[in-house]
Amino acid sequence: MKIGAYVLAGDPAWVEDSVGSYYDLVDHIVVAYDQDGLSWSGDPLPVDEALARLRAVDRDGKLIELPGRFSDPTRPALALDTAQRQAALDRAGVGVDWVLQLDTDEIVASPERLLACLRRAEAVGADSLDYPLRFFYQRSGDRFLELSRRFWGPRAGYPGPVAVRPGAHLALCRQTRASVYRVDFRARNTDPWNHGDVRVDEVIPLEEGIVHMSWVRTREQMLSKSSVSGHASERDWPAVLQEWDRAARHPRLMSAMSVFSRKRDRHIRLTAAPVPLRGRDWYEPHAEPR
Amino acid sequence: MPEPSRPSAAVVVATYNRPDHVRRCLDHLAAQTVTPDAVIVVDSSPGTQTRDVVAERAGVTYLRNERGAGHTATSRMIGVAAAGDVDVVAFVDDDAYAEPDWLELLLRRYDDPTVGAVGGRATNGQPGEEREGLGAIGRFLPNGTLTGHFAADPGRDVEVDHLLGANMSVRRAAVEEVGGLADHYPGTCLREETEIALRLRLAGYRILYVPEAVVEHVAGPYAKGRRFDLRYTFYGERNHLVLLGRTVGVGDVRFRRYLGVGARTALGHVRYAAVAAARRPRVFGDDSKTRGIANGLSRAGVCAAGGLAGAAALVRLGVAGELGGAR
């Protein structure tokens, strides 16, 4: 089975951990980026830093760079996100059986399990693989805050299929309408955004889920994220950052109180480091919240 | 010109009171691109009409299943025993009409010794059925439930966990290796064909779904109407518990998870009745409220009764040492 991958260059925070976690699985990695160094909404993006760090981990020459113009303040960010991914997917699908679509802050905790699930998806005739992501929200000392079910049970996230067939059409961001092989942490769906009885094809241990470090960042990076994210306009960022700061200061309290939240993306639990991390300089001394 | 080397094969047709369907089914078997070594009709009907239909056909064996209706698995067992020393036994329902290359396509997959069973599509004439359930054909899920979708066309062979009895074949030696067929699925016979497939899978054999191998599945006269009736629900629950007990065993996590699925299903029916009870009649004399309550409660009751009947059957099988898993 030949596997390709694509990434969007623009978010360097976890790029070494992310790409390094599946580098050996893939034949090539297409790197799509905006050649003007701009985000979808027109803000400056650290594209050069992301490219430099990607090139640094490319020990076997697997990167294929795909520059383009993906910034347009007059168009919805999610439409541009989808277009950029589609261009990358179309290129990454050449000569392979599957294409991984992982963001550069998503770390494959168990490449062996991911590969086994991909093989199973292939055998049963599915055209995409939904593999669970664990969403990490904040760090406090050597502990991490992770989104969970109301009473701290494991929770899976599915921003879109982790792998799709070449030629797949992306409906929105990573999402497709292709037939899916769905992996979860429990035999009954653990994604609060899905119905409890949605089909689960395979159950894996929590430790083997993909680690999504989306909000485990410095405050500066979070401020940057608030302006360049495709979902930037959907959130009240000052309030979001205030709560995020509070979580770093009072992780136990935050976790305990979260059971009372009526919002399904506010339930949180404390956990250890999900995978061995490379520990970049920016990451170790957590920026002191103001 | 002699046929190229292929596994020897018998085709077994289990039937009950459908002589006209049997006639047409045999017409289709006679038109196969490879000639089966035996065609066996196993009849559990009370009359002689099916016997008369088979008597018109040279080379077709007629056998009786004296247990009557509700014992399709026994009919299969009789057919397999009569098939003798063939490599492959194929099953087709009396109301399933095989395309000319059906058997040839199934047999081709047995070149691989890891393949224990092969089945194909059963078309029902429903618009869009070829796309329904792609990626989820014939699966045994971690919560102990099954998926079907045996009309789907993924465009290539796929691995499955079980097959549809209307269109399936088994490697005879593999079936013997896992202990042969058994009949513990009375009533609607739901799940009777699933047991042998799951046992083959648990023994490590691969099961293939070949979408090119097509039968046209027309509903027989007694299968028409509302299939998902109370009887179907009762035997569905009962037979599914027996299936799990016989295959993975009652100690398996999938068995326990299925108990949760069954309980949630029954509670869902109770909830349905409660919602109906809280509903205001839209017009005077509207009896939808009464029907809603009765519908929900009766289904919940039948679910529970099916579960209890399944539990009783499992106790009997346990005493007889016929449960799976721990064997």
Side-chain angles (χ1 to χ4, degrees):
Chain A
M1 179 189 294
K2 297 188 79 168
I3 304 170
Y6 76 81
V7 295
L8 311 185
D11 177 14
W14 289 100
V15 77
E16 293 88 354
D17 292 274
S18 172
V19 174
S21 69
Y22 60 86
Y23 188 84
D24 292 336
L25 284 184
V26 298
D27 284 37
H28 56 247
I29 302 171
V30 170
V31 183
Y33 62 92
D34 184 79
Q35 61 198 47
D36 301 322
L38 297 175
S39 73
W40 302 308
S41 52
D43 294 300
L45 209 58
V47 169
D48 290 340
E49 184 190 351
L51 283 173
R53 286 167 63 171
L54 279 163
R55 288 171 190 143
V57 297
D58 184 25
R59 61 178 188 277
D60 297 332
K62 293 183 179 182
L63 291 193
I64 300 170
E65 296 188 10
L66 185 68
R69 288 211 158 79
F70 303 108
S71 177
D72 184 351
T74 65
R75 289 182 63 197
L78 294 183
L80 292 159
D81 180 347
T82 308
Q84 186 173 3
R85 289 177 188 280
Q86 187 69 63
L89 170 60
D90 292 344
R91 177 64 188 88
V94 176
V96 297
D97 304 301
W98 288 91
V99 179
L100 297 184
Q101 23 176 33
L102 291 161
D103 282 354
T104 52
D105 56 0
E106 294 166 359
I107 303 167
V108 177
S110 173
E112 302 80 13
R113 178 69 76 172
L114 178 62
L115 191 58
C117 289
L118 213 45
R119 288 203 169 110
R120 186 72 189 135
E122 168 117 356
V124 304
D127 289 330
S128 67
L129 171 68
D130 260 358
Y131 192 94
L133 272 69
R134 301 170 65 187
F135 188 99
F136 284 84
Y137 174 70
Q138 182 54 290
R139 175 191 176 232
S140 178
D142 58 352
R143 307 294 298 275
F144 287 77
L145 286 158
E146 175 183 8
L147 292 197
S148 66
R149 303 288 289 185
R150 181 178 293 272
F151 295 104
W152 310 291
R155 166 200 159 130
Y158 302 94
V162 158
V164 292
R165 295 280 194 185
H169 172 72
L170 299 178
L172 182 69
C173 301
R174 278 183 271 186
Q175 296 165 23
T176 74
R177 295 193 178 90
S179 59
V180 64
Y181 185 80
R182 192 169 182 282
V183 182
D184 203 332
F185 298 127
R186 295 278 187 272
R188 188 168 158 78
N189 163 56
T190 65
D191 174 14
W193 297 99
N194 261 312
H195 190 269
D197 290 331
V198 71
R199 194 182 83 246
V200 174
D201 293 303
E202 186 170 338
V203 177
I204 61 167
L206 181 65
E207 301 73 41
E208 295 181 349
I210 287 173
V211 173
H212 186 194
M213 294 301 233
S214 183
W215 288 31
V216 183
R217 293 159 186 267
T218 62
R219 198 167 201 286
E220 187 186 17
Q221 287 169 333
M222 282 298 286
L223 285 170
S224 165
K225 187 180 178 77
S226 70
S227 62
V228 302
S229 165
H231 304 280
S233 59
E234 298 168 15
R235 300 180 196 275
D236 174 6
W237 276 100
V240 164
L241 287 172
Q242 197 175 21
E243 192 177 354
W244 181 79
D245 285 338
R246 200 163 49 237
R249 288 197 301 269
H250 309 291
R252 287 178 198 284
L253 181 67
M254 193 85 172
S255 174
M257 296 303 289
S258 74
V259 296
F260 300 109
S261 176
R262 284 190 295 180
K263 294 180 179 172
R264 51 190 144 177
D265 56 355
R266 285 290 179 276
H267 303 131
I268 290 174
R269 66 180 195 157
L270 264 176
T271 183
V275 285
L277 298 168
R278 298 187 179 194
R280 303 221 18 119
D281 294 344
W282 68 266
Y283 166 74
E284 280 305 333
H286 185 269
E288 198 58 38
R290 284 169 286 192
Chain B
M1 199 165 71
E3 286 184 25
S5 171
R6 62 162 178 87
S8 56
V11 180
V12 173
V13 183
T15 184
Y16 175 77
N17 261 1
R18 288 170 176 168
D20 292 336
H21 289 78
V22 169
R23 179 179 288 115
R24 205 169 150 201
C25 176
L26 292 176
D27 286 344
H28 283 256
L29 291 180
Q32 291 296 302
T33 53
V34 297
T35 309
D37 297 84
V39 175
I40 301 160
V41 175
V42 185
D43 182 21
S44 47
S45 331
T48 61
Q49 287 175 297
T50 304
R51 181 195 297 267
D52 297 340
V53 167
V54 177
E56 300 165 5
R57 312 287 170 137
V60 179
T61 305
Y62 176 86
L63 296 172
R64 293 283 309 161
N65 172 5
E66 300 298 350
R67 296 184 75 184
H71 291 283
T72 308
T74 298
S75 293
R76 292 190 200 279
M77 290 159 70
I78 292 169
V80 171
D85 202 21
V86 293
D87 298 314
V88 172
V89 180
F91 299 99
V92 65
D93 275 5
D94 51 8
D95 59 355
Y97 308 139
E99 294 289 315
D101 55 357
W102 168 72
L103 187 61
E104 181 182 354
L105 291 166
L106 294 182
L107 293 181
R108 224 180 260 168
R109 273 64 182 182
Y110 286 96
D111 291 345
D112 181 347
T114 66
V115 171
V118 184
R121 286 179 74 205
T123 61
N124 304 294
Q126 299 297 315
E129 63 183 4
E130 69 281 0
R131 295 186 303 277
E132 187 79 24
L134 289 172
I137 304 164
R139 308 287 313 289
F140 179 38
L141 298 177
N143 66 358
T145 60
L146 299 165
T147 66
H149 308 303
F150 292 111
D153 183 2
R156 62 187 175 88
D157 292 6
V158 296
E159 288 190 21
V160 295
D161 298 316
H162 70 107
L163 294 165
L164 188 68
N167 181 356
M168 75 173 194
S169 66
V170 292
R171 190 188 293 278
R172 196 182 55 81
V175 170
E176 284 176 7
E177 183 189 318
V178 300
L181 300 170
D183 191 355
H184 299 289
Y185 302 92
T188 53
C189 297
L190 206 63
R191 305 286 182 263
E192 59 85 16
E193 77 266 54
T194 314
E195 182 187 311
I196 189 60
L198 286 191
R199 279 163 51 209
L200 287 168
R201 282 289 292 139
L202 291 167
Y205 284 100
R206 292 167 67 222
I207 299 179
L208 295 182
Y209 174 77
V210 180
E212 298 170 277
V214 177
V215 301
E216 181 197 356
H217 197 197
V218 297
Y222 52 78
K224 280 183 181 165
R226 200 176 176 196
R227 279 202 82 182
F228 294 93
D229 58 6
L230 295 180
R231 189 164 174 265
Y232 190 90
T233 303
F234 174 84
Y235 282 109
E237 288 300 324
R238 182 218 175 267
N239 289 1
H240 197 83
L241 284 177
V242 170
L243 172 76
L244 294 177
R246 288 267 306 159
T247 52
V248 295
V250 296
D252 189 88
V253 67
R254 286 163 289 191
F255 183 89
R256 294 198 300 276
R257 286 170 182 161
Y258 184 74
L259 295 180
V261 173
R264 279 195 297 276
T265 304
L267 283 174
H269 293 315
V270 171
R271 198 176 302 121
Y272 180 88
V275 169
R279 194 166 53 210
R280 279 183 162 195
R282 279 169 294 191
V283 291
F284 182 73
D286 181 3
D287 62 350
S288 66
K289 178 172 177 170
T290 311
R291 277 189 280 115
I293 296 169
N295 207 355
L297 290 181
S298 61
R299 283 178 187 281
V302 166
C303 265
L308 289 173
L314 288 172
V315 170
R316 284 196 301 275
L317 289 167
V319 169
E322 294 188 45
L323 291 183
R327 280 186 303 183

